[in-house]
Amino acid sequence: MSKRMKICINTGGGDAPGLNAVIEAVTMAAHNRQWEVYGIRSGYAGLLNTDEIIPLTPEKVDGIASIGGTILGTTNKGNPFMMPVANAAGEIEQRDLSDRVMENFRRLRFDALVAVGGDGSLEIAHRFAAKGMPVVGVPKTIDNDMGGTVITFGFDTAVSIATEAIDRLHSTAKSHDRVMVVEVMGRNAGFIALNSGISGNADVILIPEIPFDIDRVCDKLMDNELHGRKYAIVVVAEGAVPKGGGVVVKEGATGGRQHVVLGGIAEHVAGEITRRTGKDSRSLVLGHLQRGGSPTTFDRLLSLRFGAAAVRAIEEGRFDHMVALQSPDIVLVPLAEALQITKRVRPDGDTVQTGRDLGICFGD
Ligand code: F6P
Protein backbone atom coordinates (compact mmCIF):
# COMPACT_ATOMS: atom_id res chain seq x y z
CA MET A 1 0.00 0.00 0.00
CA SER A 2 1.36 3.47 -0.88
CA LYS A 3 2.24 5.98 1.83
CA ARG A 4 -0.55 8.09 3.34
CA MET A 5 0.49 11.58 2.36
CA LYS A 6 -0.19 14.91 4.00
CA ILE A 7 -0.29 17.57 1.31
CA CYS A 8 -1.19 21.24 1.02
CA ILE A 9 -2.29 23.61 -1.74
CA ASN A 10 -2.08 27.36 -2.26
CA THR A 11 -3.28 29.79 -4.95
CA GLY A 12 -1.10 32.77 -5.87
CA GLY A 13 -1.12 35.79 -8.22
CA GLY A 14 -4.28 37.25 -9.74
CA ASP A 15 -7.35 35.05 -9.48
CA ALA A 16 -8.61 33.17 -12.54
CA PRO A 17 -11.83 31.25 -13.11
CA GLY A 18 -11.04 27.58 -12.42
CA LEU A 19 -8.97 27.97 -9.23
CA ASN A 20 -11.73 26.45 -7.12
CA ALA A 21 -12.04 23.55 -9.55
CA VAL A 22 -8.32 22.78 -9.06
CA ILE A 23 -8.82 22.91 -5.27
CA GLU A 24 -11.80 20.55 -5.56
CA ALA A 25 -9.90 18.07 -7.75
CA VAL A 26 -6.79 18.07 -5.54
CA THR A 27 -8.92 17.59 -2.42
CA MET A 28 -11.00 14.78 -3.88
CA ALA A 29 -8.09 12.94 -5.55
CA ALA A 30 -6.12 13.11 -2.29
CA HIS A 31 -9.13 12.13 -0.15
CA ASN A 32 -9.80 9.12 -2.37
CA ARG A 33 -6.22 7.98 -1.66
CA GLN A 34 -6.85 8.42 2.11
CA TRP A 35 -4.42 11.37 2.19
CA GLU A 36 -4.83 14.52 4.30
CA VAL A 37 -5.17 17.84 2.44
CA TYR A 38 -4.76 21.38 3.77
CA GLY A 39 -5.38 24.75 2.14
CA ILE A 40 -2.81 27.52 2.66
CA ARG A 41 -4.56 30.88 2.67
CA SER A 42 -3.38 33.93 0.65
CA GLY A 43 -0.54 32.45 -1.35
CA TYR A 44 2.41 31.70 0.95
CA ALA A 45 1.14 33.90 3.80
CA GLY A 46 -0.40 30.83 5.42
CA LEU A 47 3.02 29.22 5.67
CA LEU A 48 4.39 32.31 7.43
CA ASN A 49 1.48 32.64 9.82
CA THR A 50 0.22 29.09 10.25
CA ASP A 51 -3.17 30.18 11.64
CA GLU A 52 -3.98 30.57 7.96
CA ILE A 53 -4.03 26.84 7.21
CA ILE A 54 -7.37 25.09 6.84
CA PRO A 55 -8.17 21.39 6.47
CA LEU A 56 -9.85 20.63 3.14
CA THR A 57 -12.51 17.94 3.15
CA PRO A 58 -14.96 16.67 0.52
CA GLU A 59 -17.73 18.61 2.31
CA LYS A 60 -15.72 21.84 2.13
CA VAL A 61 -15.09 21.59 -1.61
CA ASP A 62 -18.44 20.12 -2.63
CA GLY A 63 -19.66 21.99 -5.73
CA ILE A 64 -17.01 24.73 -5.72
CA ALA A 65 -15.73 23.82 -9.22
CA SER A 66 -18.38 26.04 -10.79
CA ILE A 67 -17.67 29.07 -8.58
CA GLY A 68 -15.22 31.83 -9.60
CA GLY A 69 -12.38 33.15 -7.42
CA THR A 70 -10.57 31.00 -4.87
CA ILE A 71 -11.80 29.85 -1.48
CA LEU A 72 -8.18 30.10 -0.29
CA GLY A 73 -7.71 33.75 -1.23
CA THR A 74 -4.74 34.96 -3.26
CA THR A 75 -2.28 37.80 -3.57
CA ASN A 76 0.16 39.08 -6.15
CA LYS A 77 2.32 40.74 -3.50
CA GLY A 78 3.26 37.76 -1.34
CA ASN A 79 6.74 36.66 -2.41
CA PRO A 80 8.39 35.18 0.74
CA PHE A 81 11.83 35.69 -0.84
CA MET A 82 11.17 39.47 -0.95
CA MET A 83 8.56 40.22 1.69
CA PRO A 84 7.87 43.89 2.49
CA VAL A 85 8.35 44.19 6.28
CA ALA A 86 8.45 47.31 8.47
CA ASN A 87 11.82 47.72 10.24
CA ALA A 88 12.36 49.26 13.71
CA ALA A 89 12.28 52.78 12.19
CA GLY A 90 8.93 52.01 10.57
CA GLU A 91 10.42 51.93 7.07
CA ILE A 92 9.36 49.18 4.68
CA GLU A 93 12.18 46.89 3.59
CA GLN A 94 12.28 43.65 1.60
CA ARG A 95 13.20 40.58 3.67
CA ASP A 96 13.85 36.98 2.67
CA LEU A 97 11.44 34.96 4.83
CA SER A 98 11.73 31.77 2.79
CA ASP A 99 13.53 29.87 5.60
CA ARG A 100 10.55 30.50 7.88
CA VAL A 101 8.24 29.04 5.22
CA MET A 102 10.50 25.97 4.95
CA GLU A 103 10.59 25.52 8.75
CA ASN A 104 6.79 25.69 9.03
CA PHE A 105 6.33 23.34 6.08
CA ARG A 106 8.64 20.76 7.74
CA ARG A 107 7.26 21.30 11.25
CA LEU A 108 3.73 20.64 9.97
CA ARG A 109 5.09 17.47 8.30
CA PHE A 110 3.71 18.22 4.87
CA ASP A 111 4.86 15.79 2.18
CA ALA A 112 4.16 18.08 -0.77
CA LEU A 113 2.75 21.42 -1.89
CA VAL A 114 0.53 21.97 -4.93
CA ALA A 115 1.29 25.56 -5.99
CA VAL A 116 -1.34 27.02 -8.31
CA GLY A 117 -0.29 30.23 -10.05
CA GLY A 118 1.10 32.10 -13.03
CA ASP A 119 4.76 32.58 -13.89
CA GLY A 120 5.44 34.73 -10.79
CA SER A 121 3.99 32.18 -8.34
CA LEU A 122 5.55 29.22 -10.15
CA GLU A 123 8.94 30.95 -10.09
CA ILE A 124 8.56 31.13 -6.29
CA ALA A 125 7.53 27.45 -6.24
CA HIS A 126 10.67 26.57 -8.23
CA ARG A 127 12.85 28.46 -5.73
CA PHE A 128 11.25 26.51 -2.87
CA ALA A 129 11.88 23.27 -4.76
CA ALA A 130 15.57 24.26 -4.88
CA LYS A 131 15.45 24.61 -1.08
CA GLY A 132 14.12 21.06 -0.78
CA MET A 133 10.34 21.52 -0.78
CA PRO A 134 8.51 18.85 -2.83
CA VAL A 135 6.37 21.04 -5.09
CA VAL A 136 4.09 20.39 -8.06
CA GLY A 137 2.93 23.45 -10.01
CA VAL A 138 -0.42 24.07 -11.67
CA PRO A 139 -0.29 26.87 -14.28
CA LYS A 140 -3.04 29.50 -14.20
CA THR A 141 -3.56 32.81 -15.90
CA ILE A 142 -6.24 34.45 -17.98
CA ASP A 143 -3.41 35.95 -20.07
CA ASN A 144 -2.37 32.52 -21.45
CA ASP A 145 1.27 33.64 -21.45
CA MET A 146 2.71 30.62 -19.58
CA GLY A 147 5.15 28.46 -21.51
CA GLY A 148 5.10 24.66 -21.55
CA THR A 149 1.33 24.33 -21.81
CA VAL A 150 -0.93 24.86 -24.80
CA ILE A 151 -3.34 26.80 -22.63
CA THR A 152 -3.88 27.86 -19.02
CA PHE A 153 -7.24 27.72 -17.29
CA GLY A 154 -9.04 31.05 -16.95
CA PHE A 155 -8.16 32.08 -20.50
CA ASP A 156 -11.20 30.53 -22.17
CA THR A 157 -13.53 32.21 -19.65
CA ALA A 158 -11.86 35.61 -20.14
CA VAL A 159 -12.14 35.29 -23.94
CA SER A 160 -15.81 34.28 -23.67
CA ILE A 161 -16.61 37.28 -21.45
CA ALA A 162 -14.75 39.66 -23.78
CA THR A 163 -16.46 38.19 -26.87
CA GLU A 164 -19.88 38.58 -25.30
CA ALA A 165 -19.09 42.21 -24.45
CA ILE A 166 -17.93 42.89 -28.02
CA ASP A 167 -21.11 41.26 -29.39
CA ARG A 168 -23.15 43.64 -27.26
CA LEU A 169 -21.17 46.68 -28.40
CA HIS A 170 -22.04 46.13 -32.07
CA SER A 171 -25.67 47.21 -31.72
CA THR A 172 -24.96 50.37 -29.76
CA ALA A 173 -22.01 51.31 -32.02
CA LYS A 174 -24.20 50.76 -35.09
CA SER A 175 -27.12 52.79 -33.72
CA HIS A 176 -24.87 55.82 -33.21
CA ASP A 177 -22.42 55.36 -36.11
CA ARG A 178 -19.72 55.31 -33.48
CA VAL A 179 -16.30 53.79 -33.00
CA MET A 180 -16.25 51.72 -29.82
CA VAL A 181 -12.76 51.01 -28.52
CA VAL A 182 -12.70 48.18 -25.99
CA GLU A 183 -9.66 47.44 -23.82
CA VAL A 184 -9.08 43.87 -22.69
CA MET A 185 -6.54 42.35 -20.29
CA GLY A 186 -3.56 40.16 -21.14
CA ARG A 187 -0.53 42.08 -19.87
CA ASN A 188 2.18 41.82 -22.53
CA ALA A 189 0.41 39.09 -24.47
CA GLY A 190 -2.37 39.72 -26.99
CA PHE A 191 -4.18 36.37 -26.83
CA ILE A 192 -7.39 37.67 -25.21
CA ALA A 193 -7.64 40.60 -27.66
CA LEU A 194 -6.87 38.41 -30.66
CA ASN A 195 -9.27 35.57 -29.88
CA SER A 196 -12.15 37.75 -28.69
CA GLY A 197 -11.64 40.30 -31.47
CA ILE A 198 -11.76 37.71 -34.23
CA SER A 199 -14.68 35.86 -32.64
CA GLY A 200 -16.54 39.15 -32.01
CA ASN A 201 -16.16 40.44 -35.58
CA ALA A 202 -13.95 43.42 -34.70
CA ASP A 203 -12.72 45.80 -37.40
CA VAL A 204 -9.38 46.48 -35.73
CA ILE A 205 -7.34 44.45 -33.20
CA LEU A 206 -4.29 45.96 -31.53
CA ILE A 207 -1.94 43.62 -29.67
CA PRO A 208 1.47 44.06 -27.99
CA GLU A 209 3.14 41.70 -30.47
CA ILE A 210 2.27 43.96 -33.46
CA PRO A 211 3.10 47.62 -32.69
CA PHE A 212 0.45 49.78 -34.35
CA ASP A 213 0.42 52.91 -36.44
CA ILE A 214 -2.66 54.99 -35.60
CA ASP A 215 -2.78 56.27 -39.20
CA ARG A 216 -3.27 52.68 -40.45
CA VAL A 217 -6.14 52.29 -37.94
CA CYS A 218 -7.78 55.51 -39.16
CA ASP A 219 -7.29 54.48 -42.82
CA LYS A 220 -9.18 51.26 -42.08
CA LEU A 221 -12.07 53.14 -40.44
CA MET A 222 -12.32 55.63 -43.32
CA ASP A 223 -12.17 52.81 -45.86
CA ASN A 224 -15.00 51.04 -44.02
CA GLU A 225 -17.02 54.24 -44.18
CA LEU A 226 -16.48 54.50 -47.94
CA HIS A 227 -17.93 51.00 -48.19
CA GLY A 228 -20.99 51.95 -46.15
CA ARG A 229 -19.97 50.67 -42.70
CA LYS A 230 -20.15 53.76 -40.53
CA TYR A 231 -19.54 52.18 -37.14
CA ALA A 232 -16.55 50.19 -35.95
CA ILE A 233 -15.30 48.01 -33.13
CA VAL A 234 -11.66 48.32 -32.11
CA VAL A 235 -10.33 45.74 -29.63
CA VAL A 236 -7.14 46.81 -27.93
CA ALA A 237 -5.01 44.73 -25.57
CA GLU A 238 -4.00 46.63 -22.43
CA GLY A 239 -0.34 46.09 -23.37
CA ALA A 240 -0.65 47.25 -26.99
CA VAL A 241 1.99 49.76 -28.05
CA PRO A 242 2.16 52.34 -30.84
CA LYS A 243 5.18 51.99 -33.15
CA GLY A 244 8.13 53.58 -31.40
CA GLY A 245 6.08 54.16 -28.22
CA GLY A 246 5.54 52.45 -24.90
CA VAL A 247 2.73 50.90 -22.88
CA VAL A 248 0.13 53.08 -21.16
CA VAL A 249 0.17 52.61 -17.38
CA LYS A 250 -2.15 53.68 -14.59
CA GLU A 251 -0.27 56.31 -12.64
CA GLY A 252 -0.29 55.87 -8.89
CA ALA A 253 -1.63 52.29 -8.89
CA THR A 254 0.55 49.73 -7.13
CA GLY A 255 1.11 46.59 -9.13
CA GLY A 256 2.12 43.07 -8.21
CA ARG A 257 5.10 41.21 -9.57
CA GLN A 258 5.81 43.64 -12.40
CA HIS A 259 5.20 46.81 -10.38
CA VAL A 260 3.16 48.57 -13.07
CA VAL A 261 -0.57 48.42 -13.65
CA LEU A 262 -1.43 48.63 -17.34
CA GLY A 263 -4.48 50.59 -18.40
CA GLY A 264 -5.65 53.55 -20.45
CA ILE A 265 -4.65 52.60 -23.99
CA ALA A 266 -8.31 52.42 -25.18
CA GLU A 267 -9.00 55.98 -24.10
CA HIS A 268 -5.85 57.13 -25.85
CA VAL A 269 -6.73 55.30 -29.10
CA ALA A 270 -10.35 56.57 -29.04
CA GLY A 271 -9.12 60.15 -28.56
CA GLU A 272 -6.69 59.87 -31.47
CA ILE A 273 -9.37 58.40 -33.74
CA THR A 274 -11.74 61.30 -33.04
CA ARG A 275 -8.96 63.85 -33.46
CA ARG A 276 -7.80 62.42 -36.79
CA THR A 277 -11.09 61.34 -38.40
CA GLY A 278 -13.72 63.45 -36.67
CA LYS A 279 -15.61 60.25 -35.89
CA ASP A 280 -17.48 59.98 -32.62
CA SER A 281 -15.62 57.45 -30.43
CA ARG A 282 -16.11 55.94 -27.00
CA SER A 283 -13.78 53.76 -24.98
CA LEU A 284 -14.41 51.20 -22.30
CA VAL A 285 -12.19 48.97 -20.18
CA LEU A 286 -13.48 45.46 -19.42
CA GLY A 287 -10.96 45.04 -16.59
CA HIS A 288 -11.59 42.53 -13.84
CA LEU A 289 -14.96 41.48 -15.27
CA GLN A 290 -12.81 39.14 -17.37
CA ARG A 291 -11.64 37.31 -14.23
CA GLY A 292 -14.96 37.12 -12.44
CA GLY A 293 -17.72 34.55 -12.26
CA SER A 294 -18.10 30.94 -13.18
CA PRO A 295 -15.47 29.21 -15.35
CA THR A 296 -16.56 27.98 -18.77
CA THR A 297 -16.99 24.23 -19.17
CA PHE A 298 -13.61 24.10 -20.93
CA ASP A 299 -11.84 25.85 -18.03
CA ARG A 300 -13.69 23.82 -15.43
CA LEU A 301 -12.69 20.53 -17.02
CA LEU A 302 -9.09 21.65 -17.62
CA SER A 303 -8.80 22.76 -13.97
CA LEU A 304 -10.20 19.47 -12.70
CA ARG A 305 -7.79 17.55 -14.96
CA PHE A 306 -4.86 19.71 -13.79
CA GLY A 307 -5.74 19.22 -10.11
CA ALA A 308 -6.08 15.44 -10.40
CA ALA A 309 -2.85 15.22 -12.44
CA ALA A 310 -1.00 17.19 -9.74
CA VAL A 311 -2.00 14.58 -7.15
CA ARG A 312 -0.84 11.77 -9.46
CA ALA A 313 2.48 13.62 -9.88
CA ILE A 314 2.91 13.69 -6.09
CA GLU A 315 2.13 9.98 -5.91
CA GLU A 316 4.84 9.34 -8.50
CA GLY A 317 7.33 11.68 -6.75
CA ARG A 318 7.64 13.98 -9.80
CA PHE A 319 8.46 17.24 -8.03
CA ASP A 320 9.66 20.61 -9.34
CA HIS A 321 7.40 20.00 -12.36
CA MET A 322 4.12 21.55 -13.42
CA VAL A 323 1.13 19.89 -15.01
CA ALA A 324 0.50 21.07 -18.56
CA LEU A 325 -1.85 20.51 -21.46
CA GLN A 326 -0.10 19.16 -24.50
CA SER A 327 -3.24 18.19 -26.34
CA PRO A 328 -4.84 15.78 -25.92
CA ASP A 329 -2.78 14.78 -22.85
CA ILE A 330 -1.95 16.29 -19.51
CA VAL A 331 1.81 15.95 -19.08
CA LEU A 332 4.48 17.04 -16.59
CA VAL A 333 6.97 19.74 -17.61
CA PRO A 334 10.02 20.70 -15.47
CA LEU A 335 9.31 24.10 -13.90
CA ALA A 336 12.78 25.31 -14.93
CA GLU A 337 11.91 24.57 -18.57
CA ALA A 338 8.42 26.12 -18.52
CA LEU A 339 9.67 29.29 -16.81
CA GLN A 340 12.23 29.86 -19.57
CA ILE A 341 9.52 30.22 -22.20
CA THR A 342 7.75 33.53 -22.77
CA LYS A 343 4.59 32.72 -24.67
CA ARG A 344 3.32 35.43 -27.01
CA VAL A 345 1.02 35.69 -30.03
CA ARG A 346 2.94 34.76 -33.17
CA PRO A 347 2.38 37.59 -35.68
CA ASP A 348 2.95 35.04 -38.46
CA GLY A 349 0.70 32.42 -36.85
CA ASP A 350 -2.54 31.21 -38.38
CA THR A 351 -4.84 33.03 -35.94
CA VAL A 352 -3.45 36.45 -36.93
CA GLN A 353 -3.54 35.33 -40.57
CA THR A 354 -7.19 34.32 -40.12
CA GLY A 355 -7.91 37.84 -38.88
CA ARG A 356 -6.15 39.35 -41.88
CA ASP A 357 -8.05 37.04 -44.24
CA LEU A 358 -11.29 38.25 -42.65
CA GLY A 359 -10.25 41.86 -43.35
CA ILE A 360 -9.33 42.80 -39.77
CA CYS A 361 -6.72 45.55 -39.43
CA PHE A 362 -3.86 45.00 -36.95
CA GLY A 363 -2.63 48.57 -37.23
CA ASP A 364 0.51 47.61 -39.18
O1 F6P B 1 -2.20 38.53 -15.05
C1 F6P B 1 -3.59 38.62 -14.99
C2 F6P B 1 -4.05 40.03 -15.01
O2 F6P B 1 -5.47 40.04 -14.96
C3 F6P B 1 -3.54 40.86 -16.19
O3 F6P B 1 -4.26 40.58 -17.37
C4 F6P B 1 -3.71 42.26 -15.66
O4 F6P B 1 -2.82 43.16 -16.26
C5 F6P B 1 -3.37 42.09 -14.21
O5 F6P B 1 -3.58 40.73 -13.88
C6 F6P B 1 -4.21 42.95 -13.30
O6 F6P B 1 -3.75 42.77 -12.01
P1 F6P B 1 -4.51 43.32 -10.72
O7 F6P B 1 -5.52 42.29 -10.34
O8 F6P B 1 -3.40 43.46 -9.73
O9 F6P B 1 -5.15 44.61 -11.10
Side-chain angles (χ1 to χ4, degrees):
M1 200 179 119
S2 62
K3 181 178 178 245
R4 272 192 72 173
M5 300 266 196
K6 179 177 178 184
I7 67 168
C8 54
I9 174 170
N10 69 356
T11 53
D15 69 333
L19 284 169
N20 280 328
V22 178
I23 296 168
E24 181 176 322
V26 167
T27 304
M28 293 311 299
H31 177 81
N32 287 327
R33 286 167 170 77
Q34 274 81 51
W35 297 1
E36 282 178 75
V37 200
Y38 291 83
I40 313 288
R41 289 193 53 82
S42 307
Y44 288 90
L47 279 171
L48 284 169
N49 166 15
T50 51
D51 293 347
E52 300 274 330
I53 296 180
I54 54 169
L56 292 174
T57 57
E59 297 71 39
K60 206 158 242 156
V61 300
D62 186 24
I64 64 170
S66 61
I67 302 169
T70 160
I71 60 164
L72 296 177
T74 188
T75 172
N76 52 16
K77 292 179 183 157
N79 180 354
F81 290 88
M82 280 196 324
M83 210 58 161
V85 181
N87 64 19
E91 295 150 348
I92 300 294
E93 56 182 36
Q94 312 273 359
R95 288 226 197 111
D96 181 353
L97 301 182
S98 59
D99 285 341
R100 202 194 295 173
V101 169
M102 289 302 294
E103 273 160 35
N104 285 332
F105 184 87
R106 287 186 179 125
R107 188 175 52 77
L108 292 164
R109 299 188 176 283
F110 285 128
D111 293 300
L113 166 72
V114 177
V116 192
D119 52 1
S121 308
L122 295 187
E123 172 88 50
I124 297 170
H126 181 50
R127 290 181 73 178
F128 276 119
K131 282 173 100 73
M133 188 186 283
V135 180
V136 174
V138 176
K140 139 293 15 176
T141 165
I142 65 160
D143 305 336
N144 199 32
D145 57 355
M146 274 293 307
T149 183
V150 170
I151 201 163
T152 44
F153 68 84
F155 173 65
D156 185 65
T157 308
V159 171
S160 303
I161 293 167
T163 305
E164 193 194 330
I166 296 165
D167 285 347
R168 285 176 185 274
L169 287 175
H170 276 274
S171 57
T172 172
K174 192 170 186 176
S175 305
H176 289 265
D177 288 342
R178 265 182 187 153
V179 180
M180 298 298 300
V181 185
V182 52
E183 179 174 314
V184 298
M185 280 185 167
R187 275 226 150 242
N188 304 111
F191 294 105
I192 299 177
L194 180 66
N195 288 19
S196 63
I198 292 180
S199 308
N201 192 24
D203 299 277
V204 178
I205 300 174
L206 304 177
I207 56 175
E209 295 85 348
I210 306 178
F212 67 89
D213 179 341
I214 193 72
D215 286 329
R216 297 288 79 73
V217 174
C218 294
D219 290 347
K220 164 72 178 170
L221 303 181
M222 296 318 286
D223 188 58
N224 273 5
E225 186 138 340
L226 269 178
H227 291 89
R229 180 160 156 134
K230 295 201 169 104
Y231 79 97
I233 304 289
V234 177
V235 178
V236 54
E238 62 181 357
V241 285
K243 277 185 182 156
V247 289
V248 178
V249 300
K250 267 191 205 146
E251 298 298 336
T254 56
R257 66 193 151 95
Q258 292 178 23
H259 307 294
V260 291
V261 177
L262 297 173
I265 184 74
E267 194 181 348
H268 168 77
V269 168
E272 284 299 308
I273 289 172
T274 301
R275 198 168 68 77
R276 288 160 192 255
T277 65
K279 287 187 78 67
D280 198 15
S281 308
R282 295 287 187 276
S283 64
L284 81 154
V285 179
L286 288 190
H288 294 82
L289 276 177
Q290 293 158 99
R291 292 196 340 215
S294 199
T296 57
T297 308
F298 179 91
D299 276 340
R300 209 178 294 184
L301 180 61
L302 182 64
S303 307
L304 292 167
R305 290 175 74 195
F306 274 1
V311 171
R312 293 197 297 273
I314 293 172
E315 195 166 40
E316 292 162 14
R318 304 276 306 277
F319 300 114
D320 203 11
H321 281 64
M322 69 170 205
V323 297
L325 178 68
Q326 286 178 9
S327 306
D329 301 313
I330 303 290
V331 298
L332 290 172
V333 178
L335 278 172
E337 198 181 292
L339 291 166
Q340 284 303 312
I341 308 166
T342 307
K343 196 163 84 189
R344 295 287 181 264
V345 170
R346 276 182 32 221
D348 61 349
D350 86 278
T351 316
V352 171
Q353 191 51 50
T354 300
R356 295 195 195 279
D357 288 337
L358 291 169
I360 297 171
C361 166
F362 286 88
D364 57 343

